[in-house]
Amino acid sequence: MKKIPVMLIMAMIISIITTKVAAQITAANFSKEQPGFFAASPENNPKVAKKVAKFDKAANKALSNFKNAYKDESSVWSFEPNVMVAKFTKDDIQTSVIYSNKGSWIHTIKNYRESKLPEDVRTLIKNSDFSNYNIDFVQQIDEGNTTFYIVHILNGKKYKQVVVYDGSIGVLKEFELQQ
């Protein structure tokens, strides 16, 4: 079993945290015909108006990027100071597409069951030290040209999160479940 680089593990942890903290304010079905996302009128405050214009530009860029990549998908959006997240489900795969506060794509996280896991990744796990574990669910993270998986596996009370990347497996987290 090869070792997973520390930087890769850190990137995965940041990806998971980013996805979990991005939420609070959601807006669905926004379009270029309705570029504003603020209910309050900013005209009386030039600083607020500038921030609104900057946000609208970034949000429209993110929306345009999303529509180019996922032409037929409808999504729910959430906004945080540092990220914008588009979420949708298709074919039993829950997808979160994360954009920077400037509208650029950062990464995509897909959550799904074992049946959707690529066969080479499943085979790698089943032929490893974890062959006696059942695959509970999978998180696939795409960043740039890199794809890696966080596979949640279970054997009785033993629960592990293993990272699969480039033919290597490493344990990210492990613990025992309580009854």
Side-chain angles (χ1 to χ4, degrees):
M1 190 176 328
K2 299 177 193 173
K3 295 281 185 186
I4 302 290
V6 174
M7 291 302 289
L8 179 61
I9 293 174
M10 292 303 294
M12 290 183 288
I13 292 169
I14 290 168
S15 297
I16 294 167
I17 291 170
T18 301
T19 301
K20 290 190 184 247
V21 297
Q24 305 317 316
I25 307 170
T26 49
N29 302 321
F30 62 94
S31 67
K32 288 189 176 184
E33 291 76 41
Q34 300 170 325
F37 301 103
F38 293 86
S41 178
E43 295 89 25
N44 297 332
N45 187 332
K47 282 185 177 181
V48 172
K50 188 175 180 180
K51 286 182 181 179
V52 168
K54 185 177 177 182
F55 179 80
D56 279 351
K57 183 178 177 183
N60 282 326
K61 180 180 176 184
L63 177 61
S64 176
N65 288 339
F66 179 83
K67 285 186 176 186
N68 285 335
Y70 304 96
K71 294 178 183 6
D72 298 325
E73 298 306 325
S74 59
S75 57
V76 175
W77 287 75
S78 57
F79 303 90
E80 278 290 318
N82 297 319
V83 295
M84 295 176 259
V85 181
K87 295 182 179 185
F88 65 93
T89 301
K90 182 177 183 179
D91 298 329
D92 296 324
I93 299 174
Q94 297 174 343
T95 303
S96 298
V97 186
I98 295 85
Y99 296 92
S100 73
N101 60 355
K102 295 184 179 181
S104 299
W105 176 72
I106 299 173
H107 55 249
T108 302
I109 300 173
K110 296 178 180 178
N111 296 301
Y112 49 82
R113 295 286 172 201
E114 178 181 5
S115 62
K116 303 286 184 180
L117 185 63
E119 191 58 41
D120 61 328
V121 177
R122 180 184 299 112
T123 300
L124 185 65
I125 293 169
K126 295 299 181 182
N127 292 334
S128 72
D129 295 342
F130 310 111
S131 60
N132 57 342
Y133 281 75
N134 295 316
I135 297 173
D136 188 29
F137 76 97
V138 179
Q139 293 174 293
Q140 175 183 323
I141 297 114
D142 299 309
E143 292 184 9
N145 294 326
T146 302
T147 297
F148 53 92
Y149 304 86
I150 299 175
V151 183
H152 301 251
I153 57 177
L154 183 64
N155 180 357
K157 289 185 177 184
K158 294 179 183 176
Y159 191 89
K160 296 181 189 253
Q161 293 175 0
V162 296
V163 178
V164 179
Y165 172 72
D166 196 23
S168 299
I169 302 175
V171 176
L172 182 63
K173 252 187 209 178
E174 59 185 311
F175 53 90
E176 290 218 12
L177 299 174
Q178 296 181 5
Q179 293 275 343

